[in-house]
C-alpha cells in the first residue's frame, strides 16, 4: 500500500555525529508533520509543513534540529551534533490538509545515540 | 498548559471481554478528539474520532464516549481480540493539524 514511508528504519549514531532522517508522505498529501516519541511516551510534535512551507517549528527542541521539504513532497529531518537525549523514535505523518484531517503515520525511525 | 492524560498505563483483559480505556483532557475549548492504536514497532494508526457536538460515536467493535462536563472520553472495545493488543492514545488536535497525545495505555489481551 502507498502509506507514509520512512528511512532508515533504525539508525545508530555516535554522539556528535549528524543524522538525516527521510520521510516520503502519501502522494498528494499537502500537510506533513514530524513527531518525536521517547520510550514509553506519546508522540510529541516537532514541526509542520504545508506543501514546502514550514508553518510551525515550535516543537523543535534546539537549533540542532532542522527540517526541510523543498519540493513539497519528501521531507528530511536533520539532527546535528547528536546527543544521547536525542535517542527516540522519529515519526512522520501526512494528511490531505492541516486541520482535523486524520494523520497517517509512518512506522518511524528509531534513533539511538551512543 | 494543554494536556491530555490517561488514567491507567496498562490494562489486561481476557480475550472476548470488553475493554474500556479512559482519557481526561484539560482544555475545555477542545472540540475534536482522536483515538490512535500503536502496535509495537509501528506508527500510530487512526481508530476513531469524535467531535464535541456528539456524546457517542460507534465504529466497528469500538465506541467512543465523550463527557464534556467532566472533560473525559473513553474508548470501548467490544469482544477484545489478541490483535487488539497495543498502546492506545487519545489525542487532541490543537490547530494546524498539531496533536497533543496522552501518555498511552498499553492493552494486553490474555488468551
Amino acid at each position: 500500500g502507498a502509506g507514509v514511508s520512512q528511512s532508515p528504519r533504525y539508525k545508530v549514531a555516535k554522539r556528535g555525529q549528524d543524522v538525516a532522517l527521510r520521510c516520503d508522505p502519501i502522494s498528494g498529501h499537502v500537510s506533513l508533520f514530524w513527531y518525536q516519541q521517547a520510550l514509553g511516551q506519546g508522540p510529541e510534535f516537532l514541526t509542520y509543513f504545508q506543501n514546502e512551507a514550514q508553518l510551525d517549528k515550535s516543537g523543535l527542541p534546539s537549533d540542532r534540529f532542522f527540517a526541510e521539504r523543498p519540493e513539497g513532497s519528501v521531507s528530511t529531518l536533520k539532527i546535528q551534533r547528536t546527543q544521547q537525549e536525542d535517542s527516540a523514535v522519529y515519526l512522520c505523518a501526512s494528511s490531505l490538509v492541516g486541520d482535523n484531517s486524520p494523520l497517517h503515520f509512518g512506522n518511524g525511525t528509531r534513533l539511538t545515540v551512543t | 498548559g494543554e494536556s491530555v492524560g490517561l488514567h491507567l498505563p496498562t490494562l489486561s483483559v481476557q480475550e472476548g471481554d470488553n475493554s474500556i480505556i479512559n482519557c481526561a483532557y484539560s482544555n475545555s475549548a477542545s472540540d475534536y478528539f482522536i483515538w490512535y492504536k500503536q502496535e509495537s514497532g509501528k506508527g500510530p494508526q487512526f481508530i476513531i474520532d469524535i467531535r464535541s457536538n456528539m456524546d457517542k460515536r460507534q465504529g466497528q467493535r469500538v465506541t467512543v464516549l465523550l463527557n464534556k462536563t467532566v472533560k473525559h472520553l473513553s474508548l470501548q472495545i467490544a469482544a477484545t481480540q489478541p490483535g487488539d493488543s497495543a498502546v492506545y492514545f487519545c489525542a487532541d488536535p490543537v490547530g494546524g493539524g498539531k496533536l497533543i497525545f496522552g501518555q498511552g495505555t498499553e492493552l494486553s489481551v490474555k488468551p
Side-chain angles (χ1 to χ4, degrees):
Chain A
V4 177
S5 178
Q6 292 187 246
S7 61
R9 190 77 178 86
Y10 302 93
K11 177 68 179 177
V12 178
K14 292 185 178 179
R15 194 175 67 162
Q17 285 184 331
D18 298 348
V19 298
L21 312 180
R22 177 187 169 104
C23 173
D24 285 83
I26 294 173
S27 178
H29 277 195
V30 169
S31 299
L32 185 144
F33 303 81
W34 284 98
Y35 283 79
Q36 180 190 58
Q37 186 173 26
L39 188 64
Q41 303 293 317
E44 293 191 353
F45 171 83
L46 293 177
T47 187
Y48 159 53
F49 290 85
Q50 187 167 312
N51 295 307
E52 69 278 4
Q54 189 174 20
L55 299 187
D56 187 343
K57 55 181 180 179
S58 62
L60 296 177
S62 76
D63 58 9
R64 296 186 295 104
F65 287 70
F66 172 76
E68 60 183 4
R69 194 187 185 196
E71 298 179 357
S73 55
V74 172
S75 177
T76 303
L77 176 66
K78 298 180 179 178
I79 309 173
Q80 297 178 322
R81 305 181 302 281
T82 52
Q83 303 295 314
Q84 282 194 314
E85 61 263 28
D86 300 335
S87 296
V89 174
Y90 291 85
L91 295 164
C92 177
S94 68
S95 69
L96 281 172
V97 293
D99 280 6
N100 293 350
S101 293
L103 299 191
H104 299 264
F105 283 86
N107 289 330
T109 293
R110 179 177 295 279
L111 172 65
T112 303
V113 182
T114 61
Chain B
E2 178 73 35
S3 70
V4 180
L6 289 159
H7 292 301
L8 292 172
T10 61
L11 175 65
S12 183
V13 300
Q14 204 71 36
E15 182 179 357
D17 287 351
N18 296 335
S19 302
I20 300 176
I21 299 171
N22 296 304
C23 183
Y25 61 95
S26 61
N27 184 1
S28 56
S30 295
D31 60 359
Y32 177 56
F33 300 92
I34 308 171
W35 281 97
Y36 282 90
K37 172 186 180 183
Q38 187 173 26
E39 296 176 273
S40 179
K42 296 187 177 180
Q45 177 185 9
F46 173 89
I47 303 173
I48 192 169
D49 57 3
I50 188 167
R51 299 190 182 276
S52 61
N53 61 351
M54 305 170 70
D55 297 324
K56 178 179 179 179
R57 189 170 189 208
Q58 287 185 295
Q60 186 177 12
R61 283 201 305 116
V62 295
T63 301
V64 57
L65 300 178
L66 175 62
N67 185 329
K68 296 178 285 295
T69 302
V70 296
K71 292 186 283 188
H72 178 273
L73 65 160
S74 66
L75 177 71
Q76 301 178 2
I77 305 173
T80 313
Q81 302 170 0
D84 295 327
S85 294
V87 178
Y88 290 81
F89 295 97
C90 59
D92 178 7
V94 295
K98 182 191 302 186
L99 295 174
I100 302 293
F101 283 85
Q103 189 173 3
T105 291
E106 183 174 9
L107 175 65
S108 297
V109 181
K110 296 177 289 186

